[in-house]
Amino acid sequence: MPKLSVYNISGQVTGEIELNDFIFGVEFNEAVVHQAVVMQLANQRQGTSATKMRGLVRGGGRKPWKQKGTGRARCGSIRSPQWKGGGTVFGPSPRSYAKKMPRKARRLALCCALSAKVAAGELVVVEGLNFDVPKTKNVVALLAVFNAVDAKALLITNGANKNVELSTRNMPKVTTISNMCLNCFDILKSNKVFLAKEVVEKIAEVLV
């Protein structure tokens, strides 16, 4: 089983933690991870884009001119697609982009993402990942210890933590999520992942 050092928010080593092989030592499955990321990004799409077809455009109820005798092409409505102000042909309509994955596949993808960060040395376990008051400089100090001030960082807290969220809100390269919102996309796009020590056990309870 992989072992990692445990740090406090000042960057000092306070101990060591043994990680579960079934979560943090899984062989990377690119196909499953790709499917999980595509699913997450697709589910974020609103799908509200829409255009009006000829039946939805106001007007066009009266026939512009009679069928025969004018020398012009026959026409039944001024809202036909070829007319200015007419309807749109094959335009987008409201739809759902939602995708689904089997539960076991979603959990495998999450384990692969966490294992990849452990293998790359980009996962840091932090004890007491919490602040008394919202202070951005506390997050900057934590990132500076691990040379991650200019890197994309992810902070995973034990439950919703308002102080940590507010401390990172004005840092464009830092993302804060709770253990209940753990996902492959945020983990993989980050150069450094800071994981609260309490979250390690909670992840094991869910994924094992």
Side-chain angles (χ1 to χ4, degrees):
M1 292 186 177
K3 292 184 179 180
L4 291 180
S5 299
V6 179
Y7 300 86
N8 58 18
I9 58 175
S10 300
Q12 301 171 342
V13 178
T14 59
E16 194 175 53
I17 189 170
E18 192 171 1
L19 304 178
N20 195 317
D21 268 339
F22 293 102
I23 301 174
F24 298 94
V26 179
E27 184 179 354
F28 193 80
N29 190 323
E30 186 176 352
V32 174
V33 173
H34 176 266
Q35 188 179 357
V37 172
V38 169
M39 180 195 70
Q40 181 180 344
L41 296 180
N43 291 346
Q44 291 177 357
R45 298 184 65 176
Q46 291 185 333
T48 55
S49 58
T51 54
K52 292 183 178 180
M53 296 181 290
R54 61 180 294 172
L56 300 175
V57 181
R58 183 178 180 180
R62 180 176 64 86
K63 189 175 176 65
W65 53 77
K66 63 181 183 177
Q67 182 83 347
K68 294 178 177 292
T70 63
R72 289 179 289 184
R74 54 193 174 186
C75 181
S77 172
I78 61 172
R79 292 297 177 250
S80 297
Q82 68 268 27
W83 283 64
K84 179 182 178 181
T88 301
V89 183
F90 304 129
S93 57
R95 54 164 293 189
S96 172
Y97 290 93
K99 296 181 181 293
K100 293 183 179 180
M101 278 182 68
R103 182 183 300 175
K104 289 185 178 180
R106 295 198 307 267
R107 291 182 175 182
L108 175 60
L110 198 55
C111 292
C112 289
L114 292 170
S115 300
K117 289 301 175 183
V118 173
E122 297 176 353
L123 181 71
V124 180
V125 179
V126 182
E127 185 176 10
L129 186 56
N130 189 16
F131 305 130
D132 296 331
V133 291
K135 285 288 184 180
T136 302
K137 66 179 182 181
N138 293 338
V139 181
V140 174
L142 176 63
L143 298 179
V145 174
F146 300 95
N147 299 321
V149 175
D150 296 324
K152 292 181 180 179
L154 174 66
L155 276 63
I156 305 173
T157 60
N158 181 24
N161 193 313
K162 200 68 175 178
N163 288 340
V164 178
E165 291 178 7
L166 292 175
S167 299
T168 60
R169 188 170 58 178
N170 61 344
M171 302 179 70
K173 292 186 177 181
V174 181
T175 304
T176 301
I177 61 174
S178 70
N179 59 305
M180 302 301 294
C181 301
L182 207 59
N183 63 85
C184 288
F185 179 72
D186 285 332
I187 294 174
L188 293 175
K189 78 172 185 178
S190 304
N191 303 119
K192 209 75 173 180
V193 178
F194 296 88
L195 183 65
K197 183 181 178 182
E198 301 82 10
V199 176
V200 177
E201 297 179 0
K202 294 191 174 183
I203 293 176
E205 292 176 1
V206 175
L207 298 182
V208 174

